[in-house]
Structure formats: structure tokens, C-alpha cells
Amino acid sequence: MHQAAHSSDENVAGVTASADEAVERGKFIRKITSLIIVAAAVLITLYVWGIIERHPRTDDATARANVVGIAPRVAGQILKLNVQDHQAVKEGDVLFEIDPEDYRLVLEKAKADLAAVDRQIAQAHSTLQRLEPLLPKKFTTAESVDEARTKLTTLQAQREGVVATINLEELHLSYCKVIAPFSGRVINLNISAGAHVTTGAPVFSLLDTSKWYVIANFREAEIRHMAPGSEAIVYLSSAPNQRFRGKVQGIGWAVKPEGEIDLPPSGVPYVKRELNWVRVAQRFPVRIEVENPDQDLFRMGASAVAIIKGPPAR
């Protein structure tokens, strides 16, 4: 009986010791696992930080394209408006036509003046040819010959002025048809046929869709990781799964500081700070030219994300 009880106590003690060893082993494994997880997290954080440091990215970016105001070179009433707002046009398309009647009448008058001057020149030339042979024979005076020559020279100079007027009026007449200087899209069209337009005043704008770029604002500490020619990747918020290639065209050298009032309003770009109650790094605009833009996705002012691949290889 005593031997059996003693054996039972030894078995219980062995089981307890094994359980304690298992608990300690579990704690050790958990500690090692925790250390591995922490170390992995630190390594991943450092790796990601290194990638971000070498390849800066920003979501403070917008798609841009060049916009030109379409302004007539002559004044008058619009007879035909051949486009609508947001319409795509090709280079050389007639956008609108101005009433050419006034310019046609001026051109016809100039041509009539030219015909009259030509008749006067022919008559003056005939008179000079008739007087010059008579001068050696004393049948006329030198003053009469000089007067005839002066009249002919004056009429010839007058003719050059009339010809210049004709050329100018023909040019004005051609300006009555306003054509597209490049292929693009009509924007901000708020006018109809019958409206009166003036010289040099834009009627609407034309968006140049042949070339797109992205203006991305990067923090000043990130600029050292890029240079003109650096490869870039661009994503549009409207198509986050589509990737576009690009190259840095230029990096801004000046922005308007907060509170400055001694700079001209349009002299330098203004980049609004993200926070205004603490000191934050200034951001500078970086212009990225998109190499493979999708004409159906890119829109002026569309939000974008830009990633710089690094300085160009030397």
C-alpha cells in the first residue's frame, strides 16, 4: 500500500514537472515569436521608409493641359458658330465666322482706289514721255519736266500705299473665319451666333489634348531625389488601376511664401500648406509630362497620384 502510494506521488510530480516545462517552453516560444514579429515589423518599416525616401510619392497632384483663349483678330458679328461646348475639333477646323461684309466693302474701295491711281500713273507717265523729248528742243521748260517726274513718283508711292491697304484688307477678310490652331476640345463656350465680338477678346477656350502633364506638389526634402528627366508613374483617381508613364519636365524654383505681399499676384505659383497651426515643410510643384495619356480618361484638373522612380541615370 505504501509503495503504491509513493509511486503514485512520483507520477503526479512528473506530470506536474512536464506541465511546467511545457508552460515555460510556450512562454519562450511566444517571446521569440514576439521578438521576430517586432523585428520583422521594424525591418518592413525601414524597407518601406527607404522606398518612400528614394521614390517619393504624393497624392497632391492634378492633371493639366495647355489652354488657349480663342480670340478673333477682327471685330464683328458672329454669323455662324460651328462648335458646341466640350466638342472635339481638329486643327484647321472653322470654329466660327464673323460677318465679312464691312471688310469686303473696304477691300472693294481699296481696289477701286488702286484702279484710279493706276490710271493717273499711266497719264503721268505719258505726259513725262511727251515732255522729255521736247526739253532739248526748248519746246518746254525744265520745271515742267521736273513737275511731271515728281507727280509720277508721288503717284507710284501712293500706289504702294494702296496695295498695302489691299493686302491688309484681304488679311482682315481672311480673319473673318476663325480656325482651330491645334486639335483639342472647346471649353467654356457661352456665346451664340449673332453676338458681337471684339478684336483680341477671347470668345471661348481651346484645350490642347495632344499633350498632358501632371503638376505634383512634393515636400522640399523630397526634391533632392528627383531631377529633370527622372522617370515617374502617374495614377488618376478616376482610374486607380491604370498606370501611366511620365518624366519630370521641371521642378519649381519659386513658390509664394505665406503672408508675402511684395510679390506680383501672377509672378510665382502659390501652394497652400496642409496645416496652418504648425510649421510644415514647404511643397514645390513638379511638372511631369505624361508619355502615354488616355484621351478618354485625362481631364483638366483631375486628381492624380505621382511617384518618382528616382534621379535619371548619368
Side-chain angles (χ1 to χ4, degrees):
M1 293 289 292
H2 291 291
Q3 187 176 1
H6 180 71
S7 176
S8 177
D9 291 339
E10 288 180 351
N11 289 337
V12 171
V15 171
T16 302
S18 298
D20 292 339
E21 290 178 0
V23 170
E24 293 297 328
R25 190 181 301 112
K27 289 181 179 180
F28 178 75
I29 292 174
R30 285 195 296 273
K31 289 180 180 179
I32 295 298
T33 303
S34 299
L35 290 174
I36 293 174
I37 292 174
V38 171
V42 171
L43 291 175
I44 292 174
T45 301
L46 292 175
Y47 177 73
V48 172
W49 179 84
I51 293 177
I52 295 175
E53 183 71 14
R54 293 191 306 272
H55 307 294
R57 62 175 291 158
T58 180
D59 57 359
D60 185 11
T62 55
R64 300 285 185 88
N66 295 326
V67 178
V68 174
I70 302 300
R73 302 179 70 172
V74 293
Q77 187 180 35
I78 296 180
L79 286 184
K80 294 181 181 179
L81 185 61
N82 302 324
V83 294
Q84 297 178 350
D85 202 14
H86 310 306
Q87 178 180 334
V89 297
K90 295 182 179 180
E91 180 180 356
D93 287 351
V94 178
L95 302 176
F96 59 92
E97 299 180 30
I98 298 173
D99 187 359
E101 192 61 28
D102 292 343
Y103 302 99
R104 186 178 291 113
L105 290 175
V106 175
L107 178 59
E108 290 178 358
K109 182 181 181 302
K111 290 182 177 179
D113 292 342
L114 178 63
V117 171
D118 284 339
R119 288 193 298 269
Q120 293 176 16
I121 289 175
Q123 184 178 358
H125 188 266
S126 176
T127 301
L128 181 60
Q129 285 185 328
R130 179 173 55 81
L131 292 176
E132 283 181 335
L134 298 177
L135 184 60
K137 300 177 183 180
K138 306 297 182 178
F139 292 139
T140 188
T141 62
E143 290 79 3
S144 298
V145 175
D146 290 341
E147 184 179 350
R149 286 174 180 168
T150 301
K151 184 177 182 180
L152 179 60
T153 302
T154 302
L155 288 172
Q156 288 174 342
Q158 184 178 346
R159 185 183 191 280
E160 291 180 0
V162 175
V163 170
T165 300
I166 290 175
N167 293 336
L168 180 61
E169 293 307 323
E170 286 179 343
L171 196 60
H172 286 165
L173 195 60
S174 68
Y175 289 158
C176 288
K177 289 186 177 181
V178 180
I179 63 174
F182 50 80
S183 298
R185 284 192 178 272
V186 175
I187 58 176
N188 198 29
L189 174 60
N190 298 301
I191 202 169
S192 301
H196 188 277
V197 295
T198 57
T199 304
V203 178
F204 53 83
S205 299
L206 191 62
L207 180 71
D208 186 0
T209 56
S210 63
K211 183 179 292 185
W212 287 91
Y213 55 95
V214 167
I215 297 295
N217 297 318
F218 285 94
R219 291 190 299 271
E220 50 193 322
E222 298 172 331
I223 293 178
R224 68 178 184 272
H225 298 292
M226 61 189 78
S230 296
E231 294 185 7
I233 300 173
V234 172
Y235 296 91
L236 294 177
S237 297
S238 59
N241 296 325
Q242 193 162 349
R243 168 173 163 172
F244 300 96
R245 301 186 309 275
K247 282 191 176 180
V248 174
Q249 190 179 74
I251 302 172
W253 281 94
V255 295
K256 186 176 181 180
E258 293 281 354
E260 287 289 340
I261 59 175
D262 59 343
L263 294 175
S266 59
V268 293
Y270 172 71
V271 178
K272 186 177 180 182
R273 291 182 181 272
E274 294 177 351
L275 299 174
N276 57 8
W277 61 87
V278 294
R279 185 69 176 176
V280 296
Q282 180 65 57
R283 291 169 296 154
F284 286 85
V286 176
R287 179 169 173 146
I288 300 171
E289 184 176 351
V290 182
E291 297 179 350
N292 59 331
D294 189 326
Q295 301 296 338
D296 296 328
L297 292 178
F298 273 79
R299 295 174 183 270
M300 180 75 168
S303 299
V305 175
I307 304 172
I308 304 298
K309 301 276 285 184
R314 295 183 178 180

